């Protein structure tokens, strides 16, 4: 909205790049330079004040596309069709360089694509879930077993599956190991 301290005048523009209403509200229609005029008339004559207004192109940050999740330590590619933007992240769960997002630590982060021109800045955002790497924990139990005896093993990390590397022993889903033959077997 434009204003003029003189009262009783009329607003106009010099070409079709914009319009102005009777209250001074200027609406840009296309890229270019238009001149807004305020004309005051009384019995002594007419006076006009003017202001050249440069109208820039509208800007868009577009839409970010790509995966919505990544593992810590892995990378995904994000893209945005709007040219000339810059990438950033909202916190430290991930980093981004030229659209390549790398998970750093578990949590939710937001990729931000910002396009700036003389008309201002606009942003597009893309939430990303950074998933933690699995943790196998530490197996707790005896390192030597005798045939005919069983032992229960535990692990500090819940939710895993038990297995043995060969047939010298058998392991249950709850970590109970029963030796079958002599030899070395690896429990994991």
């Amino acid at each position: 909205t434009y204003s003029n301290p003189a009262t009783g005048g009329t607003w106009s523009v010099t070409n079709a790049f914009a319009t102005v209403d009777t209250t001074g509200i200027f609406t840009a229609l296309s890229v270019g330079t238009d001149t807004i005029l305020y004309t005051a008339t009384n019995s002594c004559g007419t006076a006009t004040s003017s202001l050249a207004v440069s109208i820039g192109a509208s800007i868009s940050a577009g839409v970010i596309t790509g995966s919505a999740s990544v593992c810590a330590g892995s990378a995904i590619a994000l893209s945005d069709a709007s040219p000339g933007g810059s990438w950033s992240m909202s916190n430290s769960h991930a980093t981004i360089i030229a659209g390549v997002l790398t998970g750093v630590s578990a949590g939710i982060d937001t990729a931000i694509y910002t396009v700036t021109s003389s008309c201002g800045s606009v942003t597009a955002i893309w939430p990303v879930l950074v998933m933690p790497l699995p943790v196998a924990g530490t197996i707790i139990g005896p390192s030597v077993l005798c045939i005919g005896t069983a032992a229960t093993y535990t692990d500090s990390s819940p939710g895993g599956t038990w297995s043995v590397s060969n047939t010298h022993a058998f392991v249950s889903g709850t970590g109970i190991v029963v030796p079958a033959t002599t030899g070395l077997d690896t429990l994991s």
Side-chain angles (χ1 to χ4, degrees):
T1 301
Y2 289 87
S3 62
N4 191 305
T7 59
T10 57
W11 293 98
S12 62
V13 291
T14 58
N15 58 45
F17 291 119
T19 62
V20 63
D21 71 7
T22 58
T23 63
I25 296 175
F26 184 88
T27 304
L29 300 176
S30 61
V31 176
T33 301
D34 207 334
T35 302
I36 187 168
L37 305 172
Y38 185 78
T39 304
T41 304
N42 66 18
S43 60
C44 297
T46 299
T48 301
S49 61
S50 64
L51 176 66
V53 178
S54 177
I55 302 166
S58 62
I59 57 174
S60 169
V63 176
I64 298 172
T65 58
S67 178
S69 64
V70 65
C71 293
S74 295
I76 58 173
L78 299 180
S79 61
D80 192 300
S82 293
S86 61
W87 292 95
S88 62
M89 299 303 297
S90 66
N91 59 51
S92 60
H93 291 293
T95 60
I96 193 164
I97 298 172
V100 177
L101 183 144
T102 302
V104 174
S105 61
I108 296 175
D109 208 335
T110 302
I112 304 165
Y113 186 73
T114 304
V115 177
T116 302
S117 78
S118 61
C119 291
S121 293
V122 292
T123 59
I125 61 171
W126 187 258
V128 176
L129 172 64
V130 180
M131 298 175 295
L133 294 174
V135 177
T138 302
I139 296 174
I140 300 168
S143 61
V144 176
L145 288 179
C146 296
I147 294 175
T149 62
T152 300
Y153 290 80
T154 60
D155 191 280
S156 59
S157 183
T161 3
W162 292 101
S163 65
V164 289
S165 62
N166 55 46
T167 58
H168 292 295
F170 300 100
V171 63
S172 72
T174 58
I176 298 172
V177 175
V178 178
T181 62
T182 59
L184 181 63
D185 210 336
T186 302
L187 176 66
S188 54

